[in-house]
């Protein structure tokens, strides 16, 4: 009875191990970790470099701290739209950086495809002979 329970569990573990060891899952995990770290770098860049420069351009206004207040019936609703503007700027910088990274990767892939050596003529002839022999009954 216990043998029957162990076999499916070990089979499931084997399938899980196979799934995890595939390159796509590992690549995805590495991509997510690098993406999170890259996002922190971009946020720091926008917060500490771009937003102060944008504030300087706009006459010393710190856009990050900009808020819109709505007063109604003795209550106040505060909408921090400056933080939203910063998040939009973060997004566009990340998207632009990823665009250039993908473009660079595609350029290297094209060079690798072009650099592939041609198949020698004797190998082509041997493949043709093999295919002809397969066709004969």
């Amino acid at each position: 009875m216990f043998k029957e329970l162990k076999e499916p569990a070990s089979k499931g573990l084997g399938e899980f191990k196979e799934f995890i060891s595939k390159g796509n899952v590992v690549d995805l995990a590495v991509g997510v970790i690098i993406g999170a770290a890259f996002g922190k770098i971009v946020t720091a860049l926008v917060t500490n470099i771009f937003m102060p420069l944008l504030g300087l351009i706009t006459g010393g206004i710190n856009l990050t701290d900009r808020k819109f207040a709505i007063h109604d019936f003795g209550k106040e609703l505060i909408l921090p739209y400056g933080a939203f503007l910063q998040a939009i700027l973060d997004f566009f910088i990340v998207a632009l950086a990823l665009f250039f990274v993908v473009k660079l990767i595609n350029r290297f892939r094209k060079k690798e495809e072009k650099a592939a050596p041609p198949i020698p003529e004797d190998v082509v002839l041997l493949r043709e002979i093999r295919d002809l022999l397969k066709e004969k009954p």
Side-chain angles (χ1 to χ4, degrees), residues 70-77:
I70 300 173
H71 303 281
D72 193 19
F73 303 111
K75 294 183 180 180
E76 183 177 49
L77 174 66

Side-chain angles (χ1 to χ4, degrees), residues 12-89:
L13 280 175
E15 289 175 359
F16 181 71
K17 184 178 177 182
E18 181 182 339
F19 172 74
I20 291 296
S21 65
K22 285 185 180 177
N24 295 340
V25 175
V26 175
D27 292 345
L28 179 63
V30 169
V32 167
I33 292 168
I34 289 175
F38 185 70
K40 290 178 184 179
I41 292 170
V42 170
T43 300
L45 178 70
V46 170
T47 303
N48 300 319
I49 306 292
F50 290 137
M51 291 307 279
L53 287 174
L54 193 57
L56 184 65
I57 291 171
T58 59
I61 299 172
N62 185 356
L63 293 178
T64 307
D65 296 332
R66 300 300 287 180
K67 297 175 184 167
F68 183 72
I70 300 173
H71 303 281
D72 193 19
F73 303 111
K75 294 183 180 180
E76 183 177 49
L77 174 66
I78 297 175
L79 302 173
Y81 67 89
F84 178 68
L85 292 175
Q86 181 176 345
I88 291 173
L89 191 57

Side-chain angles (χ1 to χ4, degrees), residues 35 38-43 46 88-101:
F38 185 70
K40 290 178 184 179
I41 292 170
V42 170
T43 300
V46 170
I88 291 173
L89 191 57
D90 280 350
F91 171 77
F92 281 118
I93 291 173
V94 169
L96 185 66
L98 287 176
F99 171 75
F100 286 121
V101 167

Side-chain angles (χ1 to χ4, degrees), residues 95-113:
L96 185 66
L98 287 176
F99 171 75
F100 286 121
V101 167
V102 169
K103 199 169 183 178
L104 182 69
I105 290 171
N106 287 340
R107 183 179 300 162
F108 283 126
R109 284 185 181 168
K110 285 180 184 177
K111 286 181 181 178
E112 288 176 2
E113 289 173 3

